[in-house]
Amino acid sequence: MSSHRIQFQQTGGPDVLEYVAVDKPMPGAEEVVIENHAIGLNFIDIYFRSGLYPAELPSGLGTEGAGIVVAVGDEVTDFAEGDRVAYAQGPLGAYATHVAMPARSVIALPEAIDFETAAAGMLKGLTVQYLLRQTYAVGEDDTIVFHAAAGGVGSIACQWAKALGAHVIGTVSSPEKADIARKNGAWQLIDYTKESVPERVMDLTHGAGVPVVYDSVGRDTWADSLKCLQKRGLMVSFGNASGPVEGVNLVELNRGGSLFVTRPSLGGYADTRPRFEMMCADLFAVLESGDVQVPIGQRFDLADAGAAQTALAERRTTGSTILLP
Ligand code: NDP
């Protein structure tokens, strides 16, 4: 296979993305070269392309994929040519036919998990792992609020939270997305473009509020999310789909009844090899058990990564989106 990648020379809209022929990468001493069979599309890719998150230019893009190891650096002992692997963190550059990845960011893929599922579910699934199992340990009979419930992260979260015995109040922007989230196990859905989320949440919880809100929408939902919490509840602000949350007034946390706030990232949880392996083992177990399936709502050719990003940014996708080299 000849080698191609998506790159950008300057930040901006999807038109800054170029699909170019490149030399096949050579592995550094601690790297493996992976021939991608499927690549994951994530909102974070848009943050890098647009300049919200910094990237050294010119830059490749993407952090998630799955495929076969085709070359191994001199100091790599854990992987060999022909291994089936996946990755979700590491240097930008997953939008490519071939990628050189530090071996410490790569995990062997169980036979039961196919490449498309891995590319669609590694970054989002590991995110759900830390959100539901570590940031706040969701338990039997907890009622939780999860925004963008029909999206990539949201679809996995609805299923995993249900498997943990929790009741998910999900938010979505259309009846079609509500149906999808319901099929994924959400207990109640709120169309946050039409209804007041705090009012519905207080109704559904008999005025008590919820112990945790998972909010990846950011700017548009921040204030209402705080109003859904019970006293000493936890606001987990983990994304910026509508723009970053800025100018937070801490008095709002006092007004809500001694609230807590965290702004987590996958890199902050999967920060060591043992922690990364533990989280992957937990994710692979729920995938292999069938408790969680990764819905792939859209597939695009790698060369059409810009169109894929536009669909994601314009809220036209459901579940996960993958790029195919
Ligand atoms: P999604 O598939 O969830 O797509 C984003 C969804 O957000 C949209 O479909 C839309 O759902 C909702 N949304 C609400 N307002 C807007 C808006 N103004 N513009 C665009 N979308 C909006 O994406 P991902 O699964 O890739 O990621 C979900 C979120 O999780 C992102 O914010 C991402 O940055 C974050 N994330 C954070 C991680 C971390 O570790 N901190 C790791 C992975 C993801 P609807 O139409 O129903 O409102």
Side-chain angles (χ1 to χ4, degrees):
M1 193 195 282
S2 63
S3 198
H4 285 80
R5 76 165 189 162
I6 295 279
Q7 63 180 31
F8 59 116
Q9 313 267 359
Q10 61 191 52
T11 56
D15 50 328
V16 300
L17 299 181
E18 308 169 318
Y19 182 66
V20 292
V22 287
D23 291 338
K24 212 172 273 184
M26 299 291 290
E30 297 179 4
E31 291 179 335
V32 296
V33 173
I34 299 161
E35 183 181 277
N36 280 326
H37 283 230
I39 297 150
L41 183 82
N42 289 286
F43 229 93
I44 194 171
D45 309 339
I46 298 174
Y47 304 148
F48 281 112
R49 187 210 71 213
S50 67
L52 179 65
Y53 291 177
E56 201 174 308
L57 299 176
S59 176
L61 195 56
T63 55
E64 176 183 38
I68 291 181
V69 173
V70 291
V72 177
D74 291 344
E75 290 171 27
V76 174
T77 52
D78 293 343
F79 297 101
E81 282 182 34
D83 284 354
R84 300 172 73 253
V85 295
Y87 56 93
Q89 305 183 94
L92 297 182
Y95 286 16
T97 54
H98 302 82
V99 65
M101 273 285 141
R104 66 174 182 280
S105 302
V106 175
I107 194 91
L109 203 53
E111 275 304 317
I113 301 177
D114 61 66
F115 291 132
E116 291 200 354
T117 299
M122 276 290 287
L123 193 149
K124 298 169 191 75
L126 292 174
T127 300
V128 175
Q129 198 286 335
Y130 83 71
L131 290 174
L132 301 186
R133 309 268 284 152
Q134 302 188 61
T135 307
Y136 174 93
V138 169
E140 190 90 24
D141 294 330
D142 269 336
T143 299
I144 67 174
V145 170
F146 210 104
H147 286 300
V153 174
S155 293
I156 296 171
C158 287
Q159 297 174 64
W160 202 331
K162 186 174 185 197
L164 293 169
H167 304 290
V168 176
I169 303 174
T171 66
V172 289
S173 67
S174 70
E176 295 74 25
K177 288 188 175 184
D179 285 345
I180 287 171
R182 198 171 290 112
K183 284 192 188 113
N184 283 324
W187 170 55
Q188 300 283 342
L189 279 310
I190 305 174
D191 184 332
Y192 51 3
T193 63
K194 295 196 174 72
E195 303 170 86
S196 160
V197 176
E199 277 176 25
R200 281 288 314 281
V201 168
M202 287 303 160
D203 278 353
L204 291 166
T205 59
H206 310 292
V210 293
V212 61
V213 175
Y214 294 102
D215 187 339
S216 64
V217 175
R219 185 183 290 154
D220 288 355
T221 45
W222 166 263
D224 273 357
S225 290
L226 293 181
K227 292 182 197 156
C228 297
L229 288 166
Q230 65 188 38
K231 295 218 175 358
R232 299 176 300 284
L234 176 63
M235 167 71 171
V236 184
S237 176
F238 71 100
N240 327 287
S242 68
V245 177
E246 288 165 341
V248 172
N249 178 359
L250 289 182
V251 172
E252 290 172 39
L253 307 184
N254 177 14
R255 204 175 290 134
S258 304
L259 303 178
F260 293 83
V261 175
T262 181
R263 204 322 182 176
S265 67
L266 178 56
Y269 279 87
D271 61 329
T272 63
R273 182 74 195 178
R275 291 188 55 80
F276 175 57
E277 287 181 359
M278 175 277 288
M279 292 168 66
C280 288
D282 204 20
L283 172 63
F284 293 162
V286 292
L287 294 178
E288 290 182 291
S289 74
D291 281 345
V292 173
Q293 285 167 1
V294 182
I296 301 174
Q298 303 70 218
R299 290 173 173 79
F300 286 83
D301 287 341
L302 172 60
D304 296 330
Q309 289 196 345
T310 301
L312 183 61
E314 293 181 350
R315 304 166 82 157
R316 288 188 276 113
T317 62
T318 59
S320 291
T321 304
I322 55 170
L323 306 174
L324 298 172

